[in-house]
Amino acid sequence: MSSHEQCYRSLASPAKPLSGTTSYSTQIPRKLPPRATITMSKFTQVNVPATGKTISVPTGLFINNEFVPSVDSQETIQCINPATEEPICSVVAGSAKDVDVAVAAARSALKTTWGKNVSGFERSRLLNKLADLIERDAQELAELEALNNGKPVKIARDFDIGDSVGCLRYYAGWADKIVGQSIDIDNKTKLAFTKHEPIGVCGQIIPWNYPIMMWAWKVAPALACGCTIVMKPSEFTPLTALKLSELVVEAGFPPGVVNTVPALGSVGGAALAAHPGVDKIAFTGSTVTGRKIMEAAAKSNLKKVSLELGGKSPQLIFESADIDQAANWAALGILYNTGQDCTAGSRVYVQDSIYDKFLQTLIEKAKALNIGNGFDEKSGGGPVVSKVQYDKIWSYIDAGKQEGAKCVLGGEKRPGKGYFVDPTIFTEIKPGMKIVKDEIFGPVLSVGRFKTEEEAINLANDTTYGLGAGLHSNDAGQCMRVSQALEAGTVWVNQYNLLYNNVPFGGKKQSGIGRELGSYALDEYTSVKAIQWNYGEKLDWPL
Amino acid sequence: MPSTFSYQFDTPSHKGITEFSTGLFINGEFVDGSENSTIDVINPATGKLITKISQGTPKDVDRAVAAAQHAFETSWGLKCPGAERAKLMNKLADLMEEHEDELAAVEALDNGKTFYWAKNADLKGAIDCIRYYAGWADKIQGKTIETNDGKLVYTRHEPLGVVGQIIPWNFPLLMLSWKIGPALATGNAIVLKPSEFTPLSALLTAKLAKEAGFPPGVFNVVNGYGATVGAAIAEHMDIEKVAFTGSTLVGRKIMEAAAKTNLKKVTLELGGKSPNIIFDDADLEAAVNWAAFGIFWNQGQTCCAGSRIFVHAKIYDEFLHLFTEKAKQVKVGDPFHPDSKQGPQVSNAQFDRIMSYIDSGKDEGATVHHGGVRVGDEGYFISPTIFTDTRPDMKIVKEEIFGPVGVVIKFDDDEDVIRQANDTVYGLACSVFSQNINRALETAHKLKAGTAWVNCANMLHASVPFGGFKQSGIGRELGDYTAVKAVHVNFGHQWSVA
């Protein structure tokens, strides 16, 4: 039973503050002057060229609700604007020792002000408050996201941030609904019940493709369940996680509940994954890194692991489909977020009878997308995130050409600055080609063909991945058959790439372990304890 | 145009002005009743008029149902996503929090409960409840069910439509929140009838709901009497469900009306005569405190009041002594005075009813061990009252008194006390006090009640279901509506009456 008798508790002890629901609540600065209480070891003014505005961004580590310098690292991470290739600013690159400090802060909060010491009602209140603050600052956060990641401001604001606010509110609603079961053993002597307790200190490592949204997906369920967090944002896009950390303080979370350590993956990520004081690690990123994290967990304290990894997701276009609509969804599938999407529908297989018509339509749709600077209102997509990613995508495009696929759209570099890659479509593909097997994480689509439903299913499932899959058909029986046969964590029928905060998301096969979103994500952040209670059975001894 | 109620509080607990319409709240507007008649609202601390409110009629219920139906079909229900419903509900909770003191003061003025309790129990509980259900609004899930390869079966949990809600006068705002929280979260449109004795906090809440931005018609308030407006709701052919909290007598009538009309769904949260069993191995001081809270809280006007206190013979004398001391400490007086622990009963009718039970107890031969008298000569104040030397067939042992009147009964056999405790038509709640957790749990499991409190009393949480066995009701409120018995085990919470 919770130590927290919510409704009427304060009445039992009139000496306590009337509004205080728990003893700790007086320690939480509810309406603090945020910036005054934050010790700014480092703080920089970032210029937003398109608007002439500046955004103040903390550049230190965020530990115990304060921005602090590294214990021992002199290194910095330089953040680049991928649309211009110019530096934005630098932030501290945290070390393994910094991770130790952050983990200790998270442990201390778990034992004193968070975890089992705070009611779900209070966690809910704080999460809702955080959501309100992010909504308030949506424009500024969107501009910072656009600067660092490249995506259009309007998309960052209306989709990434809008969905993130929704995600925090959704899990705010779960915080006071974490329930176990009571289980009758027999009616006379014994009962058992389960408690779903917070798993503890969670390391969370998030990627650069949706920096704010992946932050929200990780933070919201963890906090709802009462976990504390050491967050490592991607070294390519650490700025919005630091900016969000300011809002964590303003919302009134106790110190140490959320900590942010910007660091290189090989340093901070590795330290978190191997840390004996971290109870759980949640990672979104590449399958290569996911394996390393799981290995580190296996070799250290067997921490719980959830992984949301790569994909090579297929979309099947059957002859009964609405071709125009299917082409729209296929274009969205591969081009949204400039293809930097773990669920990107990067393999499209089209039934022979409609192949030519569909391909023609799809090419027109792909051409219609305007990829440009994220601060340009006309842009529907931005540059890819980094030079590394840009080079990787181009090496795949080159490989596609070399291996004999036919490039029917794109495939030519733009002159000038910025990591822009235009929509690229390959046809005449073969199963062994790199562009068909590997995750490219760019706007590069492979289009193949099939004759029968069975062949389509075999092609779709011929991959080590299993994150998403789409099918387009107006035959209800076929929709049902194929959706059941596809090996993926999410199957979209006559749509693609749409996610909802209340629908679980995650990978089958080598696309991941565990689920995010929905009520399923709560399982990733709780430990189930079975309490077995004897109130009547006498034990005879010896047996 | 309905008139506006404007009131200046100038009390030690609260100073400030409140202002809201006294009309009916239909389709997002405050309006007059169809007959332009009014109902007097009386201050139970003085017996004097506070204000007059518009009186609703069956015609007004028709109007409200039509508005609710329209809202349900156009702007609410399946037309409004769960996340949006959650947002509006959270906004309402925020506004209630912002107006916490004002709402608490209105509640204390109208109901007679102390401002302290109104704020800390009723308001806090109501705000928590609305927020809790706001959280459910985007989590209404059906199931998919495995059948065979060629089939897909799934369930949808759809809103019912227009629901009627009839709430009592003992916790006006808290009961309002228990009713509207789950109904709004699931997308139903509401026609709510507050008690004619305590309509004011519902009207102030209607004003806040409008400010929160609910579409017109989603939440309607029709003031009026049970025999007219309540009956019209219970009989209405376009109301899909009626939820009622109040007496068992009226509950039966509502269920009958539903049976005779459109077979609307019915949930009833009714009376109780809840037993409180104190074993000889209880922490006596704690048990005394909880027992006093159990029966005297809210002037005893609590459906789950622990009104039958069974005390083990070994500790009976000591318990009675300590319990009497506690009863003496309950200061009865002005609800707005910070020292007051108990206010007046809600109405003259309730005052008379309780006094007649006290008389019947005396007539039937029970001993008034403490109290049993009116306090002061103005308002409806009654002293905390303890009866001893009772018999099982006495009215004060069998019937719900709904006042600060407890009977203390001696027992010396565990099995027999369970039999006595269950010897009632009611089954709302029960309490068990014992330091031996085995004895406590075994007893809690054997008692026939929807809520069992172990080493505590009157604890309610938005997340824990509440409702009655036997003739204490049908259905559950709070929580996720799936559990049947809530066992509250206390092993740390010390209770002390100030």
Side-chain angles (χ1 to χ4, degrees):
Chain A
M1 167 132 304
S2 154
S3 63
H4 196 66
E5 303 286 349
Q6 180 79 14
C7 265
Y8 302 113
R9 182 191 183 141
S10 58
L11 306 167
S13 326
K16 284 182 186 166
L18 299 188
S19 60
T21 56
T22 58
S23 56
Y24 69 85
S25 62
T26 51
Q27 295 161 18
I28 299 174
R30 294 230 167 148
K31 286 185 180 166
L32 55 133
R35 290 175 175 92
T37 59
I38 297 170
T39 312
M40 290 293 176
S41 69
K42 282 188 178 173
F43 203 60
T44 189
Q45 300 299 313
V46 168
N47 292 310
V48 184
T51 63
K53 283 189 289 189
T54 59
I55 301 173
S56 75
V57 181
T59 57
L61 312 167
F62 178 71
I63 297 174
N64 263 330
N65 277 4
E66 295 188 348
F67 289 97
V68 295
S70 169
V71 177
D72 59 348
S73 164
Q74 306 302 316
E75 307 292 315
T76 58
I77 294 169
Q78 194 180 47
C79 302
I80 305 289
N81 179 345
T84 62
E85 304 182 29
E86 283 164 9
I88 303 166
C89 65
S90 292
V91 302
V92 65
S95 68
K97 282 195 177 156
D98 293 325
V99 170
D100 288 343
V101 176
V103 169
R107 178 65 58 191
S108 169
L110 184 77
K111 284 185 178 167
T112 54
T113 56
W114 202 247
K116 296 186 210 171
N117 304 292
V118 60
S119 73
F121 291 92
E122 178 66 6
R123 298 198 301 272
S124 173
R125 193 183 69 78
L126 290 168
L127 277 165
N128 271 319
K129 178 74 181 156
L130 180 59
D132 291 347
L133 295 174
I134 294 173
E135 194 170 51
R136 179 196 70 188
D137 292 351
Q139 181 66 28
E140 187 180 69
L141 284 163
E143 288 172 7
L144 194 58
E145 191 85 319
L147 264 187
N148 198 179
N149 167 283
K151 67 179 65 192
V153 174
K154 64 183 179 193
I155 285 178
R157 185 188 58 224
D158 299 343
F159 294 95
D160 295 40
I161 295 172
D163 288 348
S164 298
V165 168
C167 181
L168 287 159
R169 289 190 176 137
Y170 174 77
Y171 284 104
W174 274 122
D176 55 7
K177 298 173 188 68
I178 310 293
V179 294
Q181 303 171 346
S182 70
I183 303 153
D184 275 333
I185 307 298
D186 65 56
N187 284 320
K188 290 180 180 157
T189 63
K190 285 187 189 159
L191 98 141
F193 57 92
T194 61
K195 283 183 65 99
H196 293 208
E197 301 185 342
I199 216 164
V201 174
C202 298
Q204 303 188 318
I205 303 175
I206 57 171
W208 46 256
N209 57 340
Y210 296 96
I212 292 177
M213 198 162 80
M214 293 301 106
W215 189 89
W217 283 23
K218 293 279 184 292
V219 164
L223 295 183
C225 294
C227 295
T228 56
I229 294 169
V230 178
M231 167 70 66
K232 191 200 90 64
S234 164
E235 55 263 45
F236 292 104
T237 55
L239 298 183
T240 43
L242 289 165
K243 195 70 190 161
L244 289 166
S245 301
E246 284 183 334
L247 300 183
V248 167
V249 181
E250 189 179 349
F253 284 91
V257 172
V258 177
N259 305 278
T260 311
V261 181
L264 299 176
S266 56
V267 179
L272 271 177
H275 206 290
V278 172
D279 299 306
K280 188 243 158 77
I281 191 137
F283 170 75
T284 296
S286 72
T287 296
V288 176
T289 305
R291 277 187 213 286
K292 287 187 193 164
I293 285 172
M294 194 164 168
E295 257 185 73
K299 286 180 180 165
S300 56
N301 62 340
L302 285 169
K303 56 177 68 65
K304 314 298 165 265
V305 178
S306 58
L307 304 172
E308 204 268 88
L309 307 174
K312 192 73 189 177
S313 299
Q315 291 217 60
L316 304 179
I317 320 292
F318 290 98
E319 59 189 356
S320 65
D322 176 329
I323 287 178
D324 191 68
Q325 273 299 301
N328 280 348
W329 289 111
L332 178 83
I334 188 60
L335 300 177
Y336 187 66
N337 213 39
T338 319
Q340 302 168 120
D341 198 320
C342 43
T343 55
S346 50
R347 295 181 295 141
V348 167
Y349 296 102
V350 189
Q351 197 149 25
D352 270 341
S353 51
I354 56 163
Y355 179 86
D356 292 336
K357 189 172 173 204
F358 176 85
L359 183 63
Q360 199 48 47
T361 312
L362 177 63
I363 289 170
E364 294 309 315
K365 301 283 185 186
K367 277 184 187 164
L369 179 70
N370 187 3
I371 287 184
N373 190 310
F375 285 86
D376 185 339
E377 268 295 305
K378 293 195 297 290
S379 297
V384 299
V385 72
S386 65
K387 179 77 164 68
V388 177
Q389 189 58 22
Y390 178 83
D391 289 344
K392 183 180 155 194
I393 295 167
W394 279 108
S395 79
Y396 274 112
I397 293 173
D398 291 342
K401 290 174 180 168
Q402 279 166 18
E403 291 186 323
K406 182 178 171 192
C407 187
V408 295
L409 182 72
E412 282 173 38
K413 285 190 178 174
R414 286 190 192 184
K417 287 283 186 188
Y419 309 129
F420 295 98
V421 183
D422 286 309
T424 300
I425 298 177
F426 282 102
T427 58
E428 295 175 29
I429 55 168
K430 292 198 180 70
M433 291 177 173
K434 281 175 77 177
I435 56 166
V436 179
K437 279 170 65 185
D438 295 356
E439 180 173 47
I440 300 173
F441 230 61
V444 182
L445 176 67
S446 296
V447 179
R449 55 206 297 166
F450 64 87
K451 282 194 183 65
T452 66
E453 184 180 299
E454 190 188 359
E455 188 189 358
I457 291 166
N458 287 337
L459 282 167
N461 288 340
D462 182 20
T463 168
T464 58
Y465 291 112
L467 194 56
L471 74 101
H472 301 265
S473 164
N474 274 329
D475 173 343
Q478 182 170 57
C479 287
M480 190 52 57
R481 284 192 305 274
V482 175
S483 66
Q484 296 201 28
L486 289 169
E487 295 167 357
T490 298
V491 174
W492 282 285
V493 179
N494 292 324
Q495 56 178 332
Y496 201 78
N497 249 359
L498 297 189
L499 296 170
Y500 296 92
N501 289 315
N502 54 4
V503 181
F505 176 76
K508 196 176 161 80
K509 298 202 276 190
Q510 295 181 31
S511 284
I513 293 178
R515 287 294 177 274
E516 299 191 275
L517 302 182
S519 62
Y520 295 82
L522 302 171
D523 297 342
E524 307 292 340
Y525 292 99
T526 45
S527 301
V528 177
K529 178 189 280 176
I531 298 174
Q532 302 225 27
W533 200 327
N534 173 16
Y535 59 95
E537 188 185 75
K538 300 285 179 241
L539 179 66
D540 290 328
W541 186 263
L543 293 172
Chain B
M1 272 289 287
S3 61
T4 298
F5 172 59
S6 179
Y7 192 88
Q8 176 80 47
F9 289 96
D10 185 13
T11 74
S13 302
H14 176 66
K15 297 186 196 318
I17 196 160
T18 187
E19 206 170 82
F20 53 90
S21 172
T22 57
L24 315 175
F25 185 69
I26 296 175
N27 209 23
E29 302 296 337
F30 285 96
V31 295
D32 288 315
S34 68
E35 289 171 8
N36 276 317
S37 49
T38 58
I39 296 175
D40 289 350
V41 182
I42 305 295
N43 178 350
T46 62
K48 294 186 180 126
L49 183 74
I50 301 171
T51 186
K52 292 171 183 291
I53 54 155
S54 299
Q55 182 186 179
T57 66
K59 268 191 194 166
D60 296 317
V61 173
D62 287 343
R63 272 203 290 168
V65 170
Q69 190 72 44
H70 182 73
F72 180 73
E73 284 164 9
T74 54
S75 57
W76 199 243
L78 298 169
K79 307 287 183 196
C80 178
E84 183 60 25
R85 299 198 300 271
K87 214 167 158 180
L88 290 167
M89 292 176 70
N90 273 319
K91 177 75 180 157
L92 174 61
D94 290 349
L95 287 169
M96 287 167 71
E97 196 167 58
E98 211 175 284
H99 295 268
E100 197 174 21
D101 282 17
E102 182 186 349
L103 278 161
V106 166
E107 198 80 323
L109 178 72
D110 196 3
N111 167 281
K113 63 180 65 198
T114 61
F115 176 83
Y116 174 85
W117 289 102
K119 177 169 171 175
N120 291 286
D122 298 58
L123 260 293
K124 185 172 165 13
I127 292 163
D128 275 353
C129 178
I130 303 276
R131 289 200 172 126
Y132 173 79
Y133 283 105
W136 275 123
D138 56 4
K139 298 173 186 69
I140 311 296
Q141 299 166 345
K143 291 176 179 169
T144 61
I145 301 156
E146 289 292 335
T147 48
N148 63 46
D149 261 6
K151 296 236 178 74
L152 168 71
V153 181
Y154 63 94
T155 61
R156 278 162 60 89
H157 293 211
E158 299 180 349
L160 290 165
V162 178
V163 299
Q165 305 190 320
I166 303 173
I167 58 170
W169 46 255
N170 58 339
F171 294 95
L173 190 64
L174 189 65
M175 293 302 104
L176 176 144
S177 74
W178 285 19
K179 293 282 182 288
I180 73 169
L184 293 174
T186 46
N188 296 285
I190 295 169
V191 176
L192 178 124
K193 186 193 96 62
S195 164
E196 62 269 30
F197 293 108
T198 56
L200 299 184
S201 58
L203 294 173
L204 179 47
T205 303
K207 176 182 158 183
L208 299 178
K210 184 171 180 173
E211 188 180 338
F214 284 93
V218 169
F219 174 56
N220 304 280
V221 179
V222 182
N223 311 317
Y225 293 107
T228 50
V229 173
I233 288 174
E235 291 165 2
H236 207 286
M237 293 302 286
D238 296 325
I239 289 181
E240 300 293 333
K241 174 194 169 128
V242 61
F244 170 75
T245 296
S247 71
T248 296
L249 187 73
V250 176
R252 277 186 213 287
K253 288 189 191 164
I254 286 172
M255 194 163 168
E256 257 186 71
K260 286 179 178 163
T261 54
N262 62 340
L263 287 169
K264 57 177 67 63
K265 315 295 164 269
V266 178
T267 53
L268 304 172
E269 204 269 87
L270 307 175
K273 191 74 184 176
S274 298
N276 180 355
I277 299 175
I278 298 160
F279 286 110
D280 51 326
D281 54 7
D283 174 339
L284 195 58
E285 198 185 336
V288 166
N289 282 329
W290 285 108
F293 179 62
I295 183 59
F296 299 133
W297 183 48
N298 208 44
Q299 296 72 245
Q301 300 166 154
T302 307
C303 45
C304 50
S307 50
R308 293 183 295 145
I309 304 162
F310 295 94
V311 184
H312 197 278
K314 281 186 191 162
I315 54 160
Y316 179 83
D317 291 341
E318 197 186 351
F319 175 88
L320 188 60
H321 169 70
L322 294 170
F323 185 56
T324 310
E325 290 306 307
K326 288 292 168 193
K328 284 180 187 165
Q329 286 170 24
V330 177
K331 192 172 167 353
V332 181
D334 175 10
F336 288 94
H337 196 289
D339 292 342
S340 296
K341 303 293 172 208
Q342 183 179 313
Q345 307 308 131
V346 74
S347 65
N348 201 14
Q350 189 60 17
F351 175 86
D352 288 346
R353 195 178 123 104
I354 296 165
M355 292 310 289
S356 82
Y357 271 113
I358 291 174
D359 290 342
S360 97
K362 292 176 190 167
D363 292 347
E364 293 188 308
T367 303
V368 180
H369 181 76
H370 177 72
V373 293
R374 178 175 195 171
V375 176
D377 50 13
E378 187 190 60
Y380 314 128
F381 297 92
I382 296 176
S383 162
T385 299
I386 301 169
F387 273 103
T388 56
D389 303 321
T390 59
R391 292 187 313 274
D393 61 334
M394 289 179 175
K395 279 175 71 180
I396 56 168
V397 178
K398 284 169 67 180
E399 296 180 19
E400 180 173 50
I401 300 174
F402 228 61
V405 182
V407 298
V408 180
I409 301 164
K410 194 190 288 187
F411 76 91
D412 57 12
D413 177 81
D414 284 21
E415 281 306 314
D416 192 56
V417 76
I418 290 165
R419 184 194 58 75
Q420 285 191 64
N422 285 335
D423 181 20
T424 168
V425 297
Y426 291 113
L428 192 57
C430 60
S431 283
V432 181
F433 289 85
S434 167
Q435 290 293 86
N436 177 344
I437 199 71
N438 296 353
R439 194 180 189 182
L441 285 193
E442 206 178 326
T443 307
H445 289 192
K446 286 179 179 168
L447 292 172
K448 292 174 183 156
T451 294
W453 285 297
V454 177
N455 293 332
C456 57
N458 274 354
M459 292 285 102
L460 298 167
H461 306 259
S463 49
V464 181
F466 179 77
F469 278 21
K470 299 201 274 187
Q471 296 182 30
S472 283
I474 292 177
R476 288 290 177 277
E477 300 191 274
L478 304 182
D480 61 5
Y481 284 70
T482 55
V484 178
K485 177 183 273 186
V487 181
H488 299 238
V489 182
N490 179 17
F491 43 78
H493 180 183
Q494 301 297 314
W495 176 267
S496 66
V497 169

